[in-house]
Amino acid sequence: MAEDKTKTTVPVKAGDIRPFGAIPVPRVTPELLSMVRTGAVYSLEQIVEPGIPFWDGHPPLVIAPYVRHGDMPELAPASVGNEITTLPMHGCTHIDALSHIGKWVGGEIELHGGVKVKEVMSRAGYSALGAENFPPIILRGILLDVAASHGVEVLPDSYGITGADLKRCEESQGVTVRESSAVLIRTGFSKYWRTDNARFSNKGAGINIDGARYLAERKIAMVGTDTEAVEQWPFDPEGPPLPVHTYMLVDNGITHVESLYLDRLAAARAYEFLFIALPLRIRGATGSQIHPIAIA
Amino acid sequence: MAEDKTKTTVPVKAGDIRPFGAIPVPRVTPELLSMVRTGAVYSLEQIVEPGIPFWDGHPPLVIAPYVRHGDMPELAPASVGNEITTLPMHGCTHIDALSHIGKWVGGEIELHGGVKVKEVMSRAGYSALGAENFPPIILRGILLDVAASHGVEVLPDSYGITGADLKRCEESQGVTVRESSAVLIRTGFSKYWRTDNARFSNKGAGINIDGARYLAERKIAMVGTDTEAVEQWPFDPEGPPLPVHTYMLVDNGITHVESLYLDRLAAARAYEFLFIALPLRIRGATGSQIHPIAIA
Amino acid sequence: MAEDKTKTTVPVKAGDIRPFGAIPVPRVTPELLSMVRTGAVYSLEQIVEPGIPFWDGHPPLVIAPYVRHGDMPELAPASVGNEITTLPMHGCTHIDALSHIGKWVGGEIELHGGVKVKEVMSRAGYSALGAENFPPIILRGILLDVAASHGVEVLPDSYGITGADLKRCEESQGVTVRESSAVLIRTGFSKYWRTDNARFSNKGAGINIDGARYLAERKIAMVGTDTEAVEQWPFDPEGPPLPVHTYMLVDNGITHVESLYLDRLAAARAYEFLFIALPLRIRGATGSQIHPIAIA
Amino acid sequence: MAEDKTKTTVPVKAGDIRPFGAIPVPRVTPELLSMVRTGAVYSLEQIVEPGIPFWDGHPPLVIAPYVRHGDMPELAPASVGNEITTLPMHGCTHIDALSHIGKWVGGEIELHGGVKVKEVMSRAGYSALGAENFPPIILRGILLDVAASHGVEVLPDSYGITGADLKRCEESQGVTVRESSAVLIRTGFSKYWRTDNARFSNKGAGINIDGARYLAERKIAMVGTDTEAVEQWPFDPEGPPLPVHTYMLVDNGITHVESLYLDRLAAARAYEFLFIALPLRIRGATGSQIHPIAIA
């Protein structure tokens, strides 16, 4: 499965649309549009505000007025306001770029496709596999409400979702994981968003390596959850760290969407839909904050 | 035209979808989907990177690795990277929230709908009309390539686009500005993006108050341009400052999308399309960076 | 006591040395040098690092490598490193500028000397009474170890230090508060620095309004403590908020040094010394992080 | 010349005073105090404000109100203000920590004393040779006004100051470089501070390797200039990059103070004085902004 290196080494320009790992160039076919049945739109983003949970290895959250209305009397009778922000992007509803996760191979760290970190990482960010490479994401999406298929409001702390769990959920809902789908998995952990941040961040249910293999074998385009890590947290201490991240992003180019808000989609039993996410193209970044939607 | 204050005073929660000024709650009707003809997708975002043009009243652009791959040997064989960013959001491809522009009325500053700045502005941002109020934006979009209809590659510096200019462009292209449309206006100024930033920022062609009235009378949902200000820059020194911003955002609740990349859309003569933008829901912010698309 | 407005309205240039409130222009007289007896030097700064206590109204603490050694191979065989920092200056060992505290007079906020906030505050900071006005501070310093004079390791939580407490301490130590002295008051609260931040920040012993009057009447130049607020925290809920800050900074131009490290000075019973602090001259800022010293 | 590794590996605590490279633990002896003749104090710091010159590899300068007076009505009649700052510390008047400069030895980068970067650099900064190690700096200082001894207002662009230049200057002024002195060298380049930033940053006069050797052989404690780099800029393209930085900081532990304001000191012909600088103790940082003074 030779990676075409030109994909990663010719810098993207405005307007360019390329595949990025398993995320294909969007083609809005009649088949894809047939996902739209009622036309109802669901917003899947958690609101970004002080008090959201995130790992303290991410930068802190600052949202502060910078120019305030009234600051520039020379513009009267008009006035303007803006703000300065520093955000823990990976703590907001976001999508990981393939530059986010690597693995040690020999004495070096490699990203997806064998890209060597030492050749692409600099103080300017990542010259390959950065967020600027995201195409618009327009896919068949499915929701697997694993919490519901387990008959619980929220999965147990640190529950590891297996392939069998996913399969059972598909069957109970009557939907199927298919190639190039965006698979959204609901654990119910949104319940702890801003109400029990330690639990949200440190005890998340999520897919384990078995669940990850189940999805990768079906050649999905991306996977998202209503948790901070997509993968079971903490991961199995007997095995290597971050097994799902490594397997999905590095080995398979399948990226993660984290901290989704899925409760209304689940309440509506909207299990198949048109999924749209439009990642920001910030050159060299390791991901992008997004406001994904489902149109059912 | 009484503004329903409840719209602005009950804080939005995750999943809530409400109108925001002239932007309606999305309804993905068959009529709207009929805008999709070939299924071709256009990315309308300028890439965010060092060297982009923006007003120095916005915060500076910082994109710097924070955790770098290799920093956390305890995760081996996995590795992770992230970054710290401070971005001049209003200098990236973005959409203005209605909290961005106000006007002095008596001795006070009011935002759209008569919301008084002093009642909603705090060090936490804006408790009304902030970016968290954006619904997903899914609209009929049209491109008015005013540069092309003038037979030029780029409009002259500081050119003021009038209603007559817009009408002539509609006629030459065979499209019509209609209620609830997203109107994208091309001036050609993307040519100066990162190649002549002073010109891009200080000499932008744009609609003047006559052009703005033309659009507002047709009850459009939003207007965007490939310039920094949407409005003619500098504005007419004989009149009040920021006349278009004030008229559109404050008086009419019609927001602006700025620094769009429209060249490929124009080259394809894709004049009518499904327009989608998914603004980030950052509580209290004055706008949102976006990656808008057109599906033609 | 008319304030000379020229002092505050002609911007300071590099090299200018002026008084700032009660802090005089330094004159290094033989009398002042006579404070130096053994020549021993004490460092009175708490080290700035993650985990220090501070009020969450201050910006968060970020200290992160920006350029790292190895990032610029073009400089080999040399290499350089730097960092990006955002610091909660008022949570570090620091000195308040007179722009830091104001009080409402009529419908307006005034700073020291009747300077109206609305005339000097802008998005660029404060055009009067900002940190750039600090002269080098070289004064007779005294330590009042109130904890020791009370026979305790640490004063009780929220203890309000009175004038009588200060007087008793002077007598027990054999030192006297005099005009133009830098008065450093030890409560013992450094014990809680990074070990019990909630207590350090929310329960600090400190001078009450009686103690403040005692010091102001003696025309001191500045006062510092080993606590976050100098004043008793929380202040008396029966009275107005921040009575000591208001009385000292606004009414008397006597500024505060906070979060000092005084334990070794106290252990050495060094009660009189040459005090030196060299505030950074950041134009428009509300204070300056400092590394003050005592030479005994 | 065995480096005592305990110096660098036992973390400094508040109050600890240790030597740092060539900077000794301060001892305020009568001999040192004899430098004080008239008692006149000179401020040697450039004011920090928008528009100062610095290399764009440093973080940008942000000084913006964060809490503004009036933001917290619950504190009335008191009010408070603070700010958020991100500063290009190495572009302000500052002192380099020994963690700032390294050199490649074999395939590794070493700092002063053979400290290996890979063992001490992390996302938390530098666990050895960081700014927290600075003692208070109290030294005999001398000014070498090389511009004056050359009979010019400002040295020529990129002029390389040699040992012979320094010797001639000492003789003309009647002062001598001695062991443990703080040597301040005036080029006149302050003239370009904020008036011709490109020249200040890119064409600085400074010592060349010959001048550096002259100083190091005399075992000075530190060297400072009124330029951005201390060393001739650009350095000799025939030789290795940053020869003076590498020789002084890495090989000799002699640190640099940059962007000093020396004009008034020079105008007063104050060539020998008590030099005091009190670097902030920010754990892991590569230097510290300072407000140095001379007492003559």
Side-chain angles (χ1 to χ4, degrees):
Chain A
M1 187 174 70
E3 176 77 6
D4 178 0
K5 288 304 186 59
T6 61
K7 280 203 318 238
T8 56
T9 53
V10 177
V12 166
K13 295 196 300 286
D16 288 350
I17 297 183
R18 303 178 189 172
F20 189 37
I23 298 175
V25 168
R27 286 192 56 226
V28 183
T29 59
E31 184 190 354
L32 196 55
L33 289 179
S34 73
M35 298 294 125
V36 179
R37 290 170 188 107
T38 67
V41 177
Y42 295 86
S43 169
L44 310 182
E45 187 189 14
Q46 294 282 11
I47 290 176
V48 179
E49 58 196 316
I52 64 172
F54 56 91
W55 173 52
D56 69 3
H58 297 309
L61 183 147
V62 174
I63 306 170
Y66 192 69
V67 174
R68 295 193 190 187
H69 287 281
D71 275 353
M72 303 183 69
E74 66 272 29
L75 292 183
S79 72
V80 304
N82 63 20
E83 56 272 311
I84 187 167
T85 58
T86 299
L87 297 177
M89 177 261 286
H90 286 278
C92 308
T93 303
H94 73 285
I95 186 166
D96 290 342
L98 294 174
S99 54
H100 179 49
I101 299 292
K103 71 173 180 186
W104 290 88
V105 177
E108 295 187 321
I109 302 173
E110 292 185 359
L111 306 175
H112 178 63
V115 172
K116 294 185 193 316
V117 161
K118 73 173 182 187
E119 293 175 5
V120 302
M121 180 175 71
S122 76
R123 63 190 175 94
Y126 296 82
S127 63
L129 303 178
E132 76 277 17
N133 295 290
F134 278 113
I137 301 173
I138 310 176
L139 295 169
R140 172 197 182 239
I142 64 167
L143 170 69
L144 296 179
D145 187 349
V146 178
S149 81
H150 277 60
V152 295
E153 187 190 2
V154 190
L155 289 176
D157 288 0
S158 305
Y159 182 80
I161 299 169
T162 64
D165 287 328
L166 296 173
K167 187 170 183 54
R168 185 171 66 158
C169 187
E170 287 175 84
E171 290 167 356
S172 69
Q173 292 182 183
V175 295
T176 309
V177 173
R178 290 209 304 260
E179 186 169 343
S180 293
S181 296
V183 178
L184 312 187
I185 296 172
R186 184 172 172 277
T187 68
F189 264 69
S190 288
K191 180 184 171 78
Y192 306 131
W193 177 268
R194 299 184 76 227
T195 61
D196 188 348
N197 283 351
R199 200 169 187 181
F200 187 85
S201 290
N202 303 324
K203 296 286 182 188
I207 55 175
N208 62 17
I209 190 67
D210 181 69
R213 285 207 184 94
Y214 182 87
L215 295 172
E217 285 165 4
R218 279 152 187 77
K219 299 186 188 305
I220 65 168
M222 47 148 278
V223 58
T225 62
D226 56 354
T227 69
E228 191 167 314
V230 168
E231 79 175 289
Q232 176 186 22
W233 202 265
F235 37 81
D236 179 355
E238 302 293 309
L242 292 172
V244 172
H245 274 79
T246 307
Y247 175 75
M248 294 295 258
L249 280 92
V250 184
D251 296 345
N252 287 284
I254 298 172
T255 193
H256 290 176
V257 172
E258 291 161 339
S259 298
L260 283 162
Y261 173 78
L262 299 174
D263 291 356
R264 297 199 197 183
L265 197 61
R269 300 180 183 228
Y271 297 134
E272 188 176 36
F273 40 81
L274 186 64
F275 176 81
I276 305 180
L278 301 173
L280 304 174
R281 306 182 88 175
I282 300 176
R283 191 165 319 270
T286 60
S288 171
Q289 195 180 333
I290 50 173
H291 178 177
I293 58 170
I295 311 177
Chain B
M1 188 174 67
E3 175 77 8
D4 178 0
K5 287 304 186 58
T6 61
K7 279 204 319 242
T8 57
T9 53
V10 177
V12 166
K13 295 196 299 288
D16 288 349
I17 297 184
R18 303 178 189 173
F20 189 36
I23 298 175
V25 168
R27 285 194 56 226
V28 183
T29 59
E31 184 189 355
L32 195 55
L33 289 178
S34 74
M35 297 295 124
V36 178
R37 291 172 187 104
T38 67
V41 178
Y42 295 87
S43 169
L44 309 181
E45 187 189 14
Q46 294 281 12
I47 290 175
V48 179
E49 58 195 317
I52 65 172
F54 57 91
W55 173 53
D56 69 3
H58 296 309
L61 182 148
V62 174
I63 306 170
Y66 192 69
V67 173
R68 296 193 189 187
H69 286 281
D71 274 355
M72 303 183 69
E74 66 272 29
L75 292 183
S79 73
V80 303
N82 64 18
E83 56 271 312
I84 186 167
T85 58
T86 299
L87 297 176
M89 177 260 286
H90 287 278
C92 308
T93 305
H94 74 285
I95 186 165
D96 290 342
L98 294 173
S99 54
H100 179 50
I101 299 292
K103 73 174 180 187
W104 289 89
V105 176
E108 295 185 321
I109 302 173
E110 291 185 359
L111 307 175
H112 177 62
V115 171
K116 294 185 193 317
V117 160
K118 72 174 182 186
E119 294 175 4
V120 301
M121 180 175 72
S122 75
R123 63 190 175 93
Y126 296 82
S127 63
L129 303 177
E132 76 276 18
N133 296 290
F134 278 114
I137 302 173
I138 309 176
L139 295 168
R140 173 199 182 236
I142 65 168
L143 170 69
L144 296 179
D145 187 349
V146 178
S149 81
H150 278 59
V152 295
E153 186 189 1
V154 190
L155 289 176
D157 288 0
S158 306
Y159 182 80
I161 300 169
T162 63
D165 287 329
L166 295 173
K167 187 172 183 53
R168 184 171 66 157
C169 187
E170 287 175 83
E171 290 167 356
S172 69
Q173 293 182 183
V175 294
T176 308
V177 173
R178 291 209 304 257
E179 185 170 343
S180 293
S181 296
V183 178
L184 312 187
I185 296 171
R186 183 172 174 277
T187 68
F189 264 70
S190 287
K191 180 184 171 78
Y192 305 131
W193 178 268
R194 298 185 76 226
T195 61
D196 189 347
N197 283 350
R199 201 169 185 180
F200 187 85
S201 290
N202 303 324
K203 295 287 181 186
I207 57 176
N208 62 17
I209 189 67
D210 182 68
R213 286 207 183 93
Y214 183 87
L215 294 172
E217 285 165 4
R218 281 153 185 77
K219 300 186 189 304
I220 65 167
M222 45 148 280
V223 58
T225 62
D226 56 353
T227 69
E228 190 166 315
V230 168
E231 80 175 289
Q232 175 187 23
W233 203 265
F235 37 80
D236 180 355
E238 301 295 308
L242 292 171
V244 172
H245 274 80
T246 307
Y247 174 75
M248 294 295 258
L249 279 92
V250 183
D251 296 345
N252 288 284
I254 298 172
T255 193
H256 289 174
V257 172
E258 291 161 339
S259 297
L260 283 162
Y261 173 78
L262 299 174
D263 291 356
R264 296 197 197 184
L265 196 61
R269 301 180 184 228
Y271 297 134
E272 187 175 38
F273 41 80
L274 185 65
F275 175 81
I276 306 179
L278 301 173
L280 304 175
R281 306 182 89 175
I282 300 177
R283 193 169 312 273
T286 61
S288 171
Q289 196 180 332
I290 50 174
H291 179 177
I293 59 169
I295 310 177
Chain C
M1 188 176 66
E3 175 78 5
D4 179 359
K5 288 302 186 59
T6 63
K7 279 204 317 238
T8 57
T9 53
V10 176
V12 166
K13 294 196 302 286
D16 288 349
I17 297 182
R18 305 177 187 172
F20 189 37
I23 299 174
V25 167
R27 286 194 55 228
V28 184
T29 59
E31 184 190 356
L32 195 55
L33 289 179
S34 74
M35 298 295 124
V36 178
R37 291 173 185 104
T38 67
V41 178
Y42 295 87
S43 170
L44 310 180
E45 187 190 13
Q46 294 281 13
I47 289 175
V48 180
E49 58 195 317
I52 65 172
F54 57 91
W55 172 53
D56 70 3
H58 297 309
L61 183 148
V62 174
I63 307 170
Y66 191 69
V67 174
R68 296 193 188 187
H69 288 281
D71 275 354
M72 303 183 70
E74 66 273 29
L75 293 182
S79 73
V80 303
N82 64 19
E83 57 271 311
I84 187 167
T85 58
T86 298
L87 297 177
M89 177 260 286
H90 286 277
C92 309
T93 304
H94 74 284
I95 185 165
D96 290 341
L98 294 174
S99 53
H100 179 50
I101 300 292
K103 71 173 180 187
W104 289 89
V105 177
E108 295 187 322
I109 303 173
E110 292 186 1
L111 306 175
H112 178 63
V115 172
K116 294 185 194 317
V117 160
K118 72 173 183 187
E119 293 176 3
V120 302
M121 180 174 71
S122 76
R123 64 190 173 95
Y126 296 82
S127 63
L129 303 177
E132 76 277 17
N133 294 290
F134 278 113
I137 301 174
I138 310 175
L139 295 168
R140 172 198 182 239
I142 65 167
L143 170 69
L144 297 178
D145 187 350
V146 178
S149 81
H150 277 59
V152 295
E153 186 190 3
V154 190
L155 288 177
D157 288 0
S158 305
Y159 182 80
I161 300 169
T162 64
D165 287 329
L166 296 172
K167 188 171 182 55
R168 185 172 67 156
C169 186
E170 286 175 84
E171 290 167 357
S172 69
Q173 294 181 183
V175 295
T176 308
V177 173
R178 291 208 305 257
E179 186 170 344
S180 293
S181 295
V183 178
L184 312 186
I185 296 172
R186 184 173 173 278
T187 67
F189 263 70
S190 287
K191 179 185 173 77
Y192 306 131
W193 178 267
R194 298 184 78 226
T195 61
D196 188 348
N197 283 351
R199 200 169 186 180
F200 187 85
S201 289
N202 303 325
K203 296 286 181 187
I207 57 176
N208 62 17
I209 189 67
D210 182 68
R213 286 208 183 94
Y214 182 87
L215 295 172
E217 284 165 4
R218 279 152 187 79
K219 298 184 189 305
I220 65 168
M222 47 147 278
V223 59
T225 61
D226 55 354
T227 69
E228 191 167 313
V230 167
E231 78 176 290
Q232 176 186 21
W233 203 265
F235 38 80
D236 180 355
E238 302 293 309
L242 292 172
V244 172
H245 273 81
T246 308
Y247 174 75
M248 295 295 259
L249 279 92
V250 184
D251 296 344
N252 287 284
I254 298 173
T255 193
H256 289 175
V257 172
E258 292 162 337
S259 297
L260 284 162
Y261 173 79
L262 299 173
D263 290 357
R264 297 198 197 184
L265 197 62
R269 300 180 184 229
Y271 298 133
E272 189 176 37
F273 41 81
L274 186 65
F275 175 81
I276 306 180
L278 302 173
L280 304 175
R281 306 182 89 176
I282 300 176
R283 192 169 311 275
T286 61
S288 170
Q289 195 181 332
I290 51 173
H291 178 178
I293 58 170
I295 310 176
Chain D
M1 187 176 65
E3 176 76 7
D4 178 359
K5 287 305 185 59
T6 61
K7 280 202 320 238
T8 56
T9 53
V10 177
V12 166
K13 294 196 301 286
D16 288 349
I17 298 182
R18 304 177 187 172
F20 190 38
I23 299 175
V25 168
R27 286 194 55 226
V28 183
T29 59
E31 184 190 357
L32 195 56
L33 289 178
S34 74
M35 297 294 125
V36 179
R37 291 172 185 105
T38 68
V41 177
Y42 296 87
S43 169
L44 310 181
E45 187 189 13
Q46 294 282 12
I47 290 175
V48 180
E49 59 195 315
I52 65 172
F54 57 92
W55 173 53
D56 69 4
H58 297 309
L61 183 148
V62 174
I63 306 170
Y66 191 69
V67 173
R68 296 193 189 186
H69 287 282
D71 275 354
M72 302 182 69
E74 67 272 28
L75 292 182
S79 73
V80 303
N82 64 20
E83 57 271 311
I84 186 167
T85 59
T86 298
L87 297 176
M89 177 260 287
H90 286 278
C92 308
T93 304
H94 74 284
I95 185 166
D96 290 341
L98 293 174
S99 54
H100 179 50
I101 299 291
K103 72 173 179 188
W104 289 88
V105 177
E108 296 187 321
I109 302 173
E110 292 186 0
L111 307 175
H112 177 64
V115 172
K116 294 185 193 317
V117 160
K118 72 173 182 187
E119 293 176 3
V120 301
M121 181 175 70
S122 75
R123 64 190 175 93
Y126 296 81
S127 63
L129 304 176
E132 76 276 18
N133 295 290
F134 277 114
I137 301 173
I138 310 175
L139 295 168
R140 172 197 183 239
I142 65 168
L143 171 69
L144 296 179
D145 188 349
V146 177
S149 81
H150 277 59
V152 296
E153 186 190 2
V154 190
L155 289 176
D157 287 359
S158 306
Y159 182 80
I161 300 169
T162 63
D165 287 327
L166 295 173
K167 187 170 184 54
R168 185 171 68 157
C169 186
E170 287 175 84
E171 290 168 355
S172 69
Q173 293 181 182
V175 295
T176 308
V177 173
R178 289 208 305 257
E179 186 170 343
S180 293
S181 296
V183 178
L184 312 187
I185 297 172
R186 183 173 173 278
T187 68
F189 263 69
S190 286
K191 179 185 173 77
Y192 306 131
W193 177 268
R194 298 184 78 226
T195 62
D196 189 346
N197 283 351
R199 201 169 186 181
F200 187 85
S201 290
N202 303 325
K203 295 288 182 184
I207 56 176
N208 61 17
I209 190 66
D210 182 69
R213 287 207 182 93
Y214 182 87
L215 295 172
E217 286 164 3
R218 280 153 186 78
K219 299 184 189 304
I220 65 167
M222 45 146 281
V223 59
T225 62
D226 56 353
T227 69
E228 191 167 313
V230 168
E231 79 175 290
Q232 175 186 21
W233 203 266
F235 37 81
D236 180 355
E238 302 293 309
L242 292 172
V244 171
H245 274 80
T246 307
Y247 175 75
M248 294 296 258
L249 279 93
V250 184
D251 295 345
N252 288 283
I254 298 172
T255 193
H256 290 174
V257 172
E258 291 162 338
S259 298
L260 283 161
Y261 173 78
L262 299 173
D263 291 356
R264 297 198 197 183
L265 196 63
R269 300 179 184 229
Y271 298 133
E272 188 177 37
F273 41 82
L274 186 65
F275 175 81
I276 306 180
L278 301 172
L280 303 175
R281 306 181 89 175
I282 300 176
R283 191 167 316 270
T286 61
S288 171
Q289 196 181 331
I290 51 174
H291 178 178
I293 60 170
I295 311 177

